[in-house]
Structures are given as structure tokens and as C-alpha cells.
Amino acid sequence: YIHIINKADMAASKGLKILVGCKRVIDYAVKVRVKPDRSGVVTEGVKHSMNPFDEIAVEEAVRMKEKKLAGEAVAISVGPPQSQETLRTALAMGIDRAIHVEIPLAQLEKLQPIHVSKLLAKVCESEKPDLVILGKQAIDDDCNQTGQMLAALLDWPQATFASKIEPSQDSKQLRVTREVDGGMETIDVSVPAVVTSDLRLNEPRYATLPNIMKAKKKPLAKMSPDQLGVDLQPRQEVISVEDPPVRKAGAKVESVEDLVGKLREKGLVK
Amino acid sequence: SKQTMLSSSRAALVAAAAKLPRLVTRYGYCTTAAGERQQQKPLSPKITTHPTRNDRAKDPRWKDIDMTRAVDEADVVIVGGGPAGLSAACRLAQLNAEKGTEMRIVVLEKASSVGAHIMSGACLDPKGLVELFPDWQERGAPLHTPVTGDKFYMLTEKRAIPLPLLPGMPMHNHGNYIVRLGNVVAWLGEQAESLGVEVYPGVAAAEVLYTEDGSAVKGVATNDVGIAKDGSPKDSFERGMEFHCKQLIIAEGTHGHLAKHLINRYDLRAGREPQTYGIGFKELWELSEDRWRPGYVEHGVGWPLDSGTYGGYFIYHLNEGSPLAAVGFVVGLDYSNPYLSPFREFQQFKHHPHVAAALTGGKRIGYGARALNEGGVQSLPKLTFPGGCLVGCTAGMINVPKVKGTHNAMKSGSLAAEAVHEAIGSGEIEPATYEEALRNSWVYKELHSVRNIRPSFHLLNGRLGMFGGMAYTGAVWYFTRGREPWTFSHGGTDHEKLLPAKDCKPKDYPKPDNVLSFDLLSSVALTSTNHDHDQPPHLTLYDDSVPGQVNLSVYDGPEQRFCPAGVYEYVELDDGSKRLQINAQNCIHCKTCDIKDPTQNINWVTPQGGEGPAYNGM
């Protein structure tokens, strides 16, 4: 079912309403293996967990609640049935309720950020959050696109690669510090806005057992892409997936003359 | 004789080690006053920062931290979600349904998901499963590969000599299934949950809790999280929670850490032999299709192990759609040469022409290792204590010549469940009927019949080695089936059998070729093991100075070689001295170090829940 909040509820609640995206990905420590048919990587039976940047996003939402900057935090995940485990982890960390947009297995492998951002945009139309926090990128595809696409679809301001989120000086906006190539950039964004989390935003808490047990009672709603009216037609086709080339052994040289000699051999030095 | 020589040199070592102030106590978990340490100037920077060895009550960094734990109640808590633990859970749930009783049953499993820490061959004897779930096939238990062929070989450097496998011999496998035990355990976890058991993966039981007067077990506490590597509290610090229960079932697998503590506390090995062990390695290989023989089981002994080192190999060809085979190797941990590297023996074994023939053209896709128990009935401890009991490999029920223990583990779990159910009903503190039930069951009958085979390896002071063992099996056991009136002893603990390095020759192992054999670190990477780097190492030392003073100087640091994950490294400091570095992140929870450390200075405790290897159907 689709949860609809009317304007009156929003005005009455204190603090921002935050929507946090989390994705179930292969755990970062797992040794990934390419499938023999080179169509993708092996996922069956492989350890999965919440995308590390999404854990940081969830943690930030919970902290904003604790600081009373936010009133309600909702987690959302687009993925297979097992994404519910990821949402339960978010609930155990302190999120109030969760939404699971279940993707049928046939369409799962071809799901791309363009589809996810459209699904999230539809949910934002009904949930009407003040702030959407997403991980900056997922560690399986490294796309770094969903947050940016979502902001464009909603025509909301975006503050990506956030390493700090706080109220602006006049408390009417959010002051976000961003990690950019040249250093740090601080900008003020008006809400509603999309923010994507970077590594140094915070260190996520552990989901401990007492909280995991409590989280079982928190609401988890299910939705389908059809209900949201989003077409999941793939825009890209994966031709092949291969292992990175095996690193060739280097050679140790004893002296500078040897080094120059070897460089000359390879035609790198005249 | 070799034995007396060992005991006198061991006595000398113990005396030398005793001169160093040691913080060991009988009860592995007691913390000691930090003040005692200050009397001894540390000879190297502090290695062990774990709270079990550093009392936080006396640590100023912890003075403002709230250490209260949330408390929850259950009727039965089971530590360990493996075959034994989950069988106990399922049987308990079945008994409740049968008898109309209600119980809250909680299983705590330290792996991130049920089955992720399971490492086994495995060629499963289904009788334990059939008794628990006669309808296992309809329920979809992943037993897909019945054994179709069975062979036993003796390997010499160049040849593979087939040995006859007669029906009735322990290695005869008709009627058994080749399984990926991790998947069977995951399925068992689902059955338990469908029966109403609460299964919590990602939660490690870290401490046993006792009643006020300390006489009985009243529950367990789960691990704390958020302690920094130097032992100080992080912002994310959270205390574990307590489960108070009427009965605690310990099902941690071979050499469990809570089991070790309980065995010491209640002196459960009094009048029995200590446990003896082996280390088992296993790799999962995707074979070249033309070399794949689904359902084929092969066992063997011999090269490259010398006749004085117990061990053997297995190759099991699975039949689950792709040409997978499990290739494994066991080395008895009673070996004496500190230069021996069980891992490198295993890698070298794959180069034998007979084995290479099966693996050539294939690709290694998995690796893991785990200690296994070899002591049989002689080494079974007392199985019950006030407030609980031990099941499965944690007690030690592997039928060593058969190389099978899962069926015994499952049966012991079921029997324990029955005893526990009865004890709760009658208000008894100790589930005393469990031990008797086990002694009257086919588990004990089987273990009793093969009790002399493993120790027969030591016949004539071990001079005949594997030949002695095989001769005994063929000439005596085949006819007596264990009815012989004598029972051989194992002759002491594994760690006592290690000789000083000066009395042994270093071994020359070939370099891995990265096709059939591999180096240690790339093997560890395949386990997908991981631990939060910023936590105290869970491989704790009773005394930080012993590795440098004894392990390295007398035994040349054997932990560098027997650890299958490269946790222990002696690194050179600026002043030329060597210091032990513990790479706790690599640990794959095999427990070999705790078993084989000659000074028994290493005490493995559980890291944070959800950490360790992420085996996929191993």
C-alpha cells in the first residue's frame, strides 16, 4: 500500500522528515567471482550487507533525529525480497519505519540508477520528505548517479559527497560541507533537498541485538514498481563481465644503471 | 623413550615460563588486576588489549561508561547454529509440539548468517537427519549427491596405490551423501525458524553467566561492540545483552571457547583423556567437465606427509549442476616438528600426479580450514554441568577413521534436547539423563567400536606411524570391530608433543605454482573473512612476553606455520629483535592456535558478532 501523508500532518510534526535510501549489495570483504558465462558476478549464497555509504546515510538520519533536527526517519530499499533484511538493519539502527519496493527476479539484474531514481521520485511524491539522504554510490556498480538523477527528477537542490550536515546560520536552510577534488566546499541548500553521504560524514553505530529484536515490531511496507507506475525497461545491455587482467610480476634491479638499462630496453627512455 | 623425553623438556619449559609472571587462571574468563602487570616491565609493547585480559573496572578510560546490560529471559539458549545446535533446537520445538509444553528457544550464532562459519568435507551419513526429519526430502534438504563410487589410496611420491575398501570398513560410504554442509545448516536454520525457534545470526555469545553463589550456569552475555584496538571505548560502544535461561546448550564446534572455559571451571575432563585434534583444510574446485565424476568419493593417506605425521586427504565430487569437487586435507595436530606447515603440506599434496590429474584444467573457487576433534570416546568430557550441557563437536564426537561427525553431532543435539526438556519439566538444574542417553545410543556404540584406530597410529612409540595404524585396522579391527578388551591412550595433549626447533629439521616446501597450489594470503582472501580492524585482537595472550621468550626462541614460532590464515607473524623491530604481530583481521575461527600453542598462552575468544569468514556452502 502507499502511505500518504497530508499537509496537515507535516505541518504538525516537529523537525524534518527524512527519507533514507539503502541498497543490499555484496559485502565489501567478499572475494567476488565472475560467473563462468561472463554475464555477471556470482551472487548466490554470497554474503550481502547494506551498502557502506547507505549505512552512513542511515546513521546521519538517526543522529539528526537524536539532535531533534528531524522528526521522522523512513528507510527505503529497492531490491529483491532479501532487501527486507537490509531494511531491518536500518530499523535496528533507529529508523522509524521502512518501505520495500520489491523488484521481481527477472528484472533485478537489469535494474539501473535511472529506474531507482524514478521509483524514489514517485515515493517522494506521496511521502513528501523534507530531506532525502542517499549513499553517494553503491559499491557493486560504483555508479554515483541515483542521488543526482533523483534531484533532477524532483527539481530539488542537491548536495552530494556530504561530510557534514547542519542547520544554516538562519536555520531556514541546511548547511552542507562537501568533499570535492580541491578540498571542501560548504553550501547552503533549501529544503526539500537531496543529499548524498560520503565516507567522513559519520561512523555508523552497530545494530545490536536488543534493537534488532525491537525492530521486528516496526512497520515495513511493501510496494511494487507497477503500483508506482514506473517502467523498468533496461536502457543498457551488459555485454560481458570479466576479471581485471592479472598483474604481471615486476622485476627488482640492483642499481640505477640497471634501471636505466631496463627502461632503454622497453623503449621508454632514449 | 620419546614420551619421557618430551615430558622432561616440557617440564623444564613450564618451569622457565613460570618464572615469568603469568596472568593465567583456571577459569579462562577471569580478569585480573591491572596492578599485577605493573610489577613486570613489559619486554615488548602491549599485544593483548582485550577486556577479558584487562579489567575495565580498573581502567580509567572506562570510568564514566555505563556497563549495565539489558536482560532477556529464555527457557533454552543454544550457543552455536551448526548441525548439533540446530538439531537440539528443532528437537526441542518438536517435543514442545508433541507434549503441549511451551518454551522460548533462542539460538545465538556468531556468523553473519546461519551456515557462514561451517567448514566440512562433507560426506554425510544421513541417519542423524533421518531421525530428526524423516520427511527431509519433501522439506527440501539439500542432499543432492548420493555416493556412487568409493576408493581409498595410499600415495607415495609418484604412485597412488589403491587399497581394498571392504563393506563394514569405516571408510565405506554406500548410502551416504556428498553435501555442502553450509547449505544443509542454512536449511536446518530455516526448519528451526519455521518451528518457532528464534535464531539470531551475527550475535556472538561472549561470556557465561553464573548464579549468585557461582555454582550453576544461569545464561550467557553477548559480545560488547565499539571497543577500540587499544581497549578504550569508542563513541559507538554498546554493551552486549544478557540471556538468562533455564538450560544452556553449548554447540560451538571443535574446541569452542565457552566450552573450554566451562570444561575448566567444572573440571569436566577429570578421569578422562584430554581432547586431541587435527586441522582440516578444504578447497572447492570447479573441475574441468571431463574430469568430473559426480558422486565419486576418494580418501587416502601418505605423501607428502611423512610416516610419523597423521593425516589424509579426501576428494568428493558434488552433483549439484556444476562440476564442483571438494578437495581436502587433514593433518593430525599431534605432529612434533615445529617446522611443519600443515597448509603447505596440503598445497604440496595437490601436485601428486594422481591428484593433479583430477584438478588440472580446473579452478579453485573456495578455501577454508577448521580444527577437528580426533579423541573419540577416550576424550569425551563429562557432558553436563549445572545449568547445561555440551553437544556435537564441542564435546568431540567425530568418528575419525570414518571422517564423519555430523550424524553424531545431530543425534547428540536431539538427545540433549530430550534431556533438557525433561530437566526443565522436573526443575532439575543439570540435564543428567543426557549423558546416559548418549552412552546407550548408536553414537557411542560407533565411537566405541573405532576407539583404537586413531591411537594405533602411535603403536610401538609411533615408529610404524600410518602403517601401524593401517595394519591395526586391517588385521585387528576388521575382525574385532572394537570388541578387543583394551583401549589405547592418545598419550597426552597435542601441544605437549611439539619438540624444540633445535631437535628438528626445517622443511623445504616447493613454491606455489598458482595453478594447483597457492600462497597463504590469496587463500585467506577466498574465505572473505573480515573483522572490524579497530577492536582488540580476539587472539588473546595470557602473557605478552611468552611468544618472544619461549615460542620463538625454543620452537621457532610454530604459530606462523600452523595458522591457516596468516594471523601470526614475527616482525623485526628496529633494534633487531622480533616481536609477535597478530593480524586478527585474517582469522578464520579455526581454533588451531588455541590447541597447538606449545605454551598454551593463546586464548581464542570471540570477536564481535557477524565477523569472521563468509563461507558459501562449505
Side-chain angles (χ1 to χ4, degrees), chain A residues 47-62:
Chain A
K47 179 178 178 186
H48 284 68
S49 45
M50 193 191 298
N51 184 37
F53 295 108
D54 301 347
E55 282 183 344
I56 293 171
V58 168
E59 175 67 21
E60 194 61 22
V62 175

Side-chain angles (χ1 to χ4, degrees), chain A residues 106-179:
Chain A
Q107 290 158 307
L108 199 55
E109 283 199 3
K110 302 194 166 58
L111 197 69
Q112 282 141 21
I114 184 74
H115 306 120
V116 177
S117 50
K118 286 185 178 176
L119 289 164
L120 291 177
K122 276 289 172 176
V123 173
C124 283
E125 271 175 34
S126 49
E127 287 282 339
K128 297 191 175 47
D130 300 302
L131 179 62
V132 177
I133 313 182
L134 303 177
K136 72 170 180 184
Q137 67 198 57
I139 61 169
D140 51 7
D141 55 26
D142 276 342
C143 281
N144 198 319
Q145 295 166 0
T146 307
Q148 292 88 332
M149 285 178 169
L150 177 62
L153 287 168
L154 293 170
D155 198 22
W156 288 6
Q158 57 180 270
T160 51
F161 313 113
S163 64
K164 193 168 182 174
I165 307 174
E166 57 197 330
S168 63
Q169 285 219 278
D170 61 5
S171 297
K172 291 211 179 106
Q173 296 184 309
L174 285 176
R175 177 155 291 183
V176 181
T177 306
R178 304 178 57 227
E179 302 215 6

Side-chain angles (χ1 to χ4, degrees), chain A residues 27-31 33 36 42 44-47 203-206 208-213 216 243, chain B residues 72 104 108 112 200 203 225-226 234 236 238 241 243 286 365 525-526 528 530 532 608 610 614 616:
Chain A
D27 184 85
Y28 76 91
V30 166
K31 187 95 167 65
R33 206 161 50 90
V42 176
E44 173 105 32
V46 170
K47 179 178 178 186
E203 204 189 302
R205 68 196 61 197
Y206 297 91
T208 54
L209 188 55
N211 293 322
I212 291 172
M213 299 203 289
K216 284 192 178 171
D243 277 303
Chain B
D72 203 351
R104 183 178 180 204
L108 301 176
S112 55
Y200 295 115
V203 178
V225 292
K234 293 197 280 195
S236 51
E238 256 185 77
M241 66 177 282
F243 276 102
E286 222 162 47
I365 62 170
L526 276 181
S528 297
N530 193 33
D532 186 343
Q608 292 175 164
N616 182 0

